[in-house]
Amino acid sequence: MRKIGVLTSGGDAPGMNAAIRAVVRCASCEDIDVYGIECGYSGMLDGSIFRIDNRFVSDTIQKGGTILRTARCPEFLQKEFRQKAFENISAYGIEGLVVIGGDGSFKGMRDFSREFNVPCMGIPGTIDNDLAYTDFTLGFDTAVNTVLGAVNNIRDTMTSHNRVCIIEVMGRKCGDIAVYAGVAGGAEVILIPEIPYNIEDVIKTIKYDRIKGKQSVIIILAEGVCSCGDLKEELMNKLDGIQVRTVKLGYIQRGGTPSMADRVFASRCGARAVELLKKGDSGCRVIGTKDNKIIDMDVDEALAIPSTFDKELYRIATMLAK
Ligand code: ADP
Ligand code: F6P
């Protein structure tokens, strides 16, 4: 393989640039030319494709977002558009692809790879940590650390005023950001889509925390449960004057400089992607981490693994909130 393309797709995640950099520099060691494709699959459709080299990725490992930019591209769900994408990359002689994105991006990559027999490697770039085949996704560690910084600050002011704060975090249908930030930030309550909650239990916890002498209550709410505004409404009527505030962290948690863990993970994933593509007949695979080792797996096999949820960590969180 002499020419490969790299793109970032779906929601950006801290560490995507470190992954692009690793792909470019490892490919250069193998005399493989790399083409950057802008704005995810949209760039394959409109031909936003250009040669990138080692200097293009200089001074990027520490940057959040994605230098190749990203997009959601509904057209790519249709075969006629994927055909157009194939024609566009073929015009540049691109023989293999690295796709950095989440499960949606991987589905697009799988369809594309199968239809046109183009080897494609997926690097799991999403803050949500919602891909079951890998212990962690790229950007998750940074996002949780960002949430933690916010939780610490919010805790200071809630304690000063003896208040309750609902902090809404991202994650789509996955509660991992909430659980990890909840454990590490000492949240009193963690509400996630994987575990149905009972509002009466939340109220009991808040009231009992007061009796125990706690001076603030932090509720970490995963966005997949409901909005912080709706939860506040539900709580307010039954809290007998206890003040409740809300913070929706939003995009703060998706941007920012990637953590050491995300930079190293990205670098290892990029290296593996190039190693697999170099073989030429590697099909469509996704890269991840299991038990602190880098793994790769057939994309169909990986996407078929049902979502898992770390019940033990959640149980520990509940015990630690006492
Ligand atoms: P993520 O990759 O972060 O999960 P999305 O779910 O938005 O983000 O998917 C990113 C892009 O991947 C979509 O805009 C679309 O171009 C492509 N995609 C998503 N799902 C599919 C699918 N089922 N088939 C083909 N392409 C898909
Ligand atoms: O998938 C990453 C993510 O940040 C989710 O946590 C969130 O629900 C979604 O993307 C937001 O996407 P958008 O920026 O397109 O609204």
Side-chain angles (χ1 to χ4, degrees):
M1 185 153 312
R2 297 271 57 94
K3 290 182 182 181
I4 63 174
V6 58
L7 61 87
T8 49
S9 165
D12 61 295
M16 281 183 161
N17 291 326
I20 297 166
R21 173 179 176 269
V23 168
V24 170
R25 294 199 173 165
C26 293
S28 137
C29 292
E30 303 293 344
D31 287 324
I32 297 172
D33 292 347
V34 182
Y35 287 79
I37 299 167
E38 272 191 316
C39 297
Y41 295 125
S42 306
M44 284 169 81
L45 293 183
D46 61 24
S48 301
I49 300 168
F50 53 97
R51 176 93 168 81
I52 56 178
D53 61 11
N54 286 343
R55 291 294 69 76
F56 179 81
V57 293
S58 286
D59 197 16
T60 60
I61 193 167
Q62 77 281 19
K63 291 187 174 139
T66 158
I67 49 171
L68 288 176
R69 303 195 290 143
T70 187
R72 307 201 199 267
C73 173
E75 294 94 333
F76 206 71
L77 271 72
Q78 296 169 49
K79 186 166 179 193
E80 62 188 282
F81 286 97
R82 292 196 293 269
Q83 171 74 43
K84 176 80 187 140
F86 175 64
E87 287 161 15
N88 283 342
I89 66 159
S90 300
Y92 288 86
I94 294 171
E95 301 159 284
L97 279 185
V98 180
V99 171
I100 308 167
D103 64 333
S105 305
F106 285 180
K107 285 177 192 154
M109 171 184 83
R110 173 194 59 192
D111 295 350
F112 180 78
S113 176
R114 197 181 281 153
E115 284 159 3
F116 305 105
N117 199 23
V118 176
C120 293
M121 300 303 141
I123 294 178
T126 166
I127 62 167
D128 298 341
N129 209 35
D130 58 352
L131 288 161
Y133 77 91
T134 179
D135 287 344
F136 296 107
T137 57
L138 193 54
F140 173 70
D141 182 73
T142 305
V144 172
N145 279 305
T146 304
V147 172
L148 274 180
V151 170
N152 296 341
N153 290 4
I154 292 166
R155 175 74 81 181
D156 289 346
T157 173
M158 291 302 129
T159 301
S160 304
H161 289 266
N162 207 344
R163 284 174 174 162
V164 174
C165 190
I166 306 166
I167 303 175
E168 183 185 321
V169 300
M170 281 183 166
R172 281 201 181 161
K173 293 185 179 135
C174 180
D176 281 14
I177 295 179
V179 174
Y180 279 74
V183 170
E188 279 68 26
V189 179
I190 303 171
L191 301 178
I192 53 173
E194 291 87 344
I195 304 217
Y197 77 97
N198 177 340
I199 194 71
E200 296 305 330
D201 291 341
V202 178
I203 288 160
K204 253 190 242 162
T205 302
I206 295 170
K207 288 187 172 169
Y208 192 45
D209 279 348
R210 292 252 147 162
I211 294 165
K212 284 187 299 189
K214 286 210 179 201
Q215 288 173 344
S216 58
V217 172
I218 297 288
I219 301 175
I220 307 262
L221 170 70
E223 65 175 354
V225 175
C226 65
S227 75
C228 52
D230 287 349
L231 181 63
K232 180 179 173 181
E233 286 269 321
E234 248 190 302
L235 287 175
M236 281 301 277
N237 304 329
K238 302 178 178 173
L239 274 181
D240 312 328
I242 298 176
Q243 291 183 358
V244 180
R245 295 289 189 267
T246 59
V247 177
K248 179 175 173 162
L249 288 182
Y251 294 112
I252 283 171
Q253 67 207 291
R254 208 161 79 181
T257 190
S259 64
M260 176 278 286
D262 278 328
R263 294 183 204 193
V264 173
F265 181 39
S267 302
R268 295 171 84 194
C269 285
R272 176 66 64 91
V274 171
E275 191 185 311
L276 290 167
L277 281 177
K278 196 179 71 172
K279 291 186 193 160
D281 59 350
S282 32
C284 186
R285 299 185 75 73
V286 289
I287 298 158
T289 179
K290 271 276 161 207
D291 304 326
N292 207 25
K293 290 200 165 52
I294 295 296
I295 55 147
D296 58 83
M297 197 183 276
D298 175 76
V299 67
D300 283 317
E301 210 183 304
L303 290 177
I305 298 176
S307 307
T308 45
F309 164 64
D310 193 341
K311 289 200 183 87
E312 178 56 9
L313 188 58
Y314 190 79
R315 192 182 71 83
I316 291 171
T318 315
M319 290 191 297
L320 297 182
K322 297 289 175 214

